[in-house]
Amino acid sequence: MDMFDKNIGKEKLASLELAEASREKEWNYPSFVRELFHGRLPWNLIYPFPEQPEADKEIGTEYLEKLEGFLRAHLDPDEVDKSGEIPYEVIKGLADLGAFAMKIPQEYDGLGLSQLNYNRAIHLIASYCGSTAVLLSAHQSIGVPTPLSLFGTEEQKKKYLPRFRKGAISGFALTEPDAGSDPRTMKTSATPTEDGKYYIINGEKLWITNGNIADILIVMAQTPAKIEKGKEKKQITAFIVETNTPGFQAAYRSSFMGLHGVKLGLLKFNNVRVPRENILLGEGQGLKLAFLTLNTGRLTVPAAVAGMSKLCLMIVRKWSKERRQWGLPIGEHELVASKLAAMSANTFAMDAVTWLTSHMADAKKLDIRLEAAMAKLFCTETSWKVIDDTFQIRGGRGFETSPSLKGRGEAGYPVERMFRDSRVNLIIEGTSQIMRLFIAREALDLHLKRIISIMDTKVPILKRIKDALSVGIYYLFWFLRLWLPSFALRDIAHLPIPIKKHMLFVQQTTKRLAMTMFLKMLIHQQRLESRQNILARFVDIGTDLFVMSCACSYGLSFSKKELNSQAGSAIELADLFCSQAKVRIARTFEDIRRNQDKAARRVAQNFLAGGYVWLENEIIK
Ligand SMILES: Cc1cc2nc3c(=O)[nH]c(=O)nc-3n(C[C@H](O)[C@H](O)[C@H](O)COP(=O)(O)OP(=O)(O)OC[C@H]3O[C@@H](n4cnc5c(N)ncnc54)[C@H](O)[C@@H]3O)c2cc1C
């Protein structure tokens, strides 16, 4: 689309309005990250690091043992990668183990695993076979089991949930050829029949994980628009669709750079008739359902990528000692050693974030929408770096496939396969860019709520003046409080060095971040929405502060555990992670102050207008 198209403003506004209408507006529970963005450090929300109850841990450990035994005996990940198939016997065996009903409550024949045990299971499987992990996690993190358990009626739950214990497979169908990150452009429609008992679904869905083999899908479709205050409001509704319904067709299987065993592509809906009682959560509530499902659904991706990163650690640990070049094991050359150190510290931080957010999901005492989004953003980007560094440390062998390595008698480390399998994690369940925008919107929420009526020219002037006065008083106290020593200091004071030093930094920096965000909001006002680089910098600083806090809390938890020999090294890892995060944070604050955003915008506009086509010379087009 021409970027100077005058409709672009209207279209963008409509997309933002739809997203805004579907977002969860209330904050019924405290949120650690939301507080951080407002200059407070609620350390007591994440410290002491929660411990998994012994009984729950045993259930998980026993289940993980069964899974590992089964996978080792029956599944060859290289064969899955080569053939593009997870064998039927493996799917059947996993179903017998209840792997398609891990998260389903026991009253509906599920295993009723806690989020923590479920994430432990996916973490384990992902370290072995990416395709199998994605098959299972897309099925039950975002596929039918989660939204149905959360929002289904009793009849819906009784009808569908027990089927997953027998191995029924599901998926979550939102994306379409023209609707990716922006669901407003969705075209699939669901039209009610005259008697109102059915809906007729027509349209296409693209890249729905498991879509080509699913028995049941959650399908998002547009139901007739509603008129509210004279304005047409788009309605997106979630339907439970059985794929044996006439008119449903898995029309095409896509092939991808990785995750070869997962089956997805183009799905077609041609007059697919679905009973009204298959609507989930209510008409027009589809996007809300998607957001709410993803709040916990997103937690599985961090668990999976942390599992893959740990396998990378094992590979580089062995290889860096074994491989000698220039008279030394390569791990002793400083440029490799620094990678090994960062990979260890980053993997420790991923572990901290993954297990803390899993605990939070089980405890149900906190609002975790921001924490889950940050966990997804941080872990996918960080694990990609870990896998890339593993590739580099393996040298040419990083590029060679596992079967080829084995074929000439070497250890078949699957770095090349993991590299291909993992890249898409930065795209699925919200791209990194969309995660940053989502987090920024929620981070600014408290301020926006306060100042929105002052900026709204439709509000009577007297009311705006009154509101401005009360908001002014609020912010006067807010600013004062930011500068006063906070109660959080009391909580941190007794922590051991170096954790105390890092948490003091977090405490100070949350104030600096909150202040900077507020000032930028005053300067840019509504324009801040399109200054995405500024928003992303806030989010990157906030994410590092969150992960530093998780890593410190997690590090301290080791000294209490029996694994005392690990305690010192856990603190050392937390220390290195925090020290490196501090450098990133300082750099990002500097970027907020002085950056090349304006010049980059000019170049990008020129680029899109064709100003640099000459640069594409002497290539085969
Ligand atoms: C292997 C795989 C599995 C998938 N599984 C599922 C599934 O189970 N269910 C499902 O519904 N979908 C699924 N998807 C689709 C996936 O969720 C989408 O690919 C993703 O949401 C991004 O949409 P898109 O690819 O159309 O990219 P677009 O939305 O077209 O985005 C393209 C680029 O523009 C950026 N961008 C877009 N909007 C903005 C903005 N406002 N500001 C800044 N940058 C922006 C994006 O970050 C991205 O870099 C899957 C995709 C793949 C490849």
Side-chain angles (χ1 to χ4, degrees), residues 100 110 125 181 192-193 325 359 469 528 530 594 598:
F100 291 91
I125 300 167
S181 304
T193 53
Q325 292 290 284
H359 276 293
L469 278 173
L528 188 57
S530 51
R594 220 187 334 220
K598 208 169 167 187

Side-chain angles (χ1 to χ4, degrees), residues 468-480:
L469 278 173
S470 69
V471 166
I473 292 169
Y474 170 84
Y475 278 109
L476 185 67
F477 282 102
W478 185 71
F479 270 100
L480 279 175

Side-chain angles (χ1 to χ4, degrees), residues 172-439:
F172 179 86
L174 176 64
T175 305
E176 297 183 3
D178 289 332
S181 304
D182 177 9
R184 185 187 60 85
T185 42
M186 177 184 294
K187 294 202 177 93
T188 297
S189 63
T191 312
T193 53
E194 266 184 26
D195 60 8
K197 288 185 180 159
Y198 292 89
Y199 280 78
I200 308 296
I201 301 183
N202 279 293
E204 291 183 348
K205 292 285 171 186
L206 187 64
W207 306 326
I208 308 309
T209 304
N210 299 338
N212 293 42
I213 50 165
D215 302 283
I216 312 169
L217 290 171
I218 299 285
V219 177
M220 297 288 168
Q222 274 199 66
T223 42
K226 278 194 177 147
I227 305 292
E228 274 176 25
K229 294 182 191 156
K231 235 179 150 186
E232 198 178 88
K233 292 260 178 207
K234 210 167 237 210
Q235 302 289 300
I236 293 178
T237 302
F239 291 87
I240 305 168
V241 177
E242 301 203 36
T243 57
N244 60 6
T245 315
F248 172 84
Q249 188 199 3
Y252 182 81
R253 181 177 173 190
S254 300
S255 60
F256 295 99
M257 74 184 272
L259 298 177
H260 288 166
V262 185
K263 294 187 179 172
L264 63 160
L266 185 69
L267 306 179
K268 290 191 174 173
F269 298 77
N270 185 11
N271 291 325
V272 175
R273 198 176 153 94
V274 179
R276 165 180 275 279
E277 52 271 20
N278 280 22
I279 290 179
L280 255 183
L281 194 62
E283 214 173 315
Q285 301 297 309
L287 284 185
K288 196 171 198 172
L289 173 136
F291 285 142
L292 291 169
T293 300
L294 282 167
N295 279 348
T296 48
R298 270 197 192 111
L299 297 179
T300 317
V301 176
V305 298
M308 292 172 101
S309 302
K310 287 180 188 177
L311 187 70
C312 288
L313 287 191
M314 188 216 69
I315 294 168
V316 292
R317 178 173 52 77
K318 292 189 173 171
W319 182 244
S320 304
K321 279 197 291 191
E322 180 188 320
R323 177 71 171 169
R324 290 181 73 88
Q325 292 290 284
W326 304 89
L328 282 176
I330 55 167
E332 289 180 29
H333 294 296
E334 196 170 11
L335 286 174
V336 177
S338 55
K339 281 191 191 302
L340 299 177
M343 288 166 77
S344 311
N346 282 331
T347 304
F348 176 79
M350 278 188 260
D351 233 9
V353 171
T354 299
W355 305 129
L356 184 70
T357 49
S358 307
H359 276 293
M360 285 175 171
D362 281 330
K364 298 189 173 69
K365 286 183 187 149
L366 299 176
D367 187 313
I368 59 164
R369 75 186 89 161
L370 282 168
E371 288 75 2
M374 280 187 172
K376 197 272 175 186
L377 175 65
F378 171 77
C379 292
T380 52
E381 293 198 339
T382 307
S383 67
W384 174 241
K385 176 93 182 76
V386 167
I387 292 171
D388 187 39
D389 281 343
T390 307
F391 199 111
Q392 193 67 19
I393 292 172
R394 284 282 285 160
R397 286 167 177 81
F399 196 54
E400 188 169 1
T401 67
S402 153
S404 169
L405 287 162
K406 281 189 224 159
R408 54 184 189 80
E410 288 200 18
Y413 296 136
V415 179
E416 177 269 346
R417 170 161 50 80
M418 280 203 287
F419 193 83
R420 287 185 286 106
D421 282 352
S422 63
R423 181 59 180 82
V424 80
N425 289 318
L426 284 76
I427 308 277
I428 54 166
E429 294 185 22
T431 66
S432 289
Q433 288 74 19
I434 295 300
M435 285 294 92
R436 287 191 167 85
L437 297 177
F438 168 80
I439 295 166

Side-chain angles (χ1 to χ4, degrees), residues 98-114 118 139-140 143-146 148-149 157 160-168 170:
F100 291 91
M102 285 189 261
K103 270 186 82 182
I104 292 171
Q106 286 175 346
E107 58 186 301
Y108 302 105
D109 282 356
L111 300 190
L113 294 190
S114 59
Y118 166 66
H139 156 69
Q140 54 208 317
V144 182
T146 296
L148 190 56
S149 301
K157 288 186 199 172
Y160 292 107
L161 289 179
R163 286 176 59 181
F164 301 116
R165 182 65 183 84
K166 297 186 187 105
S170 75

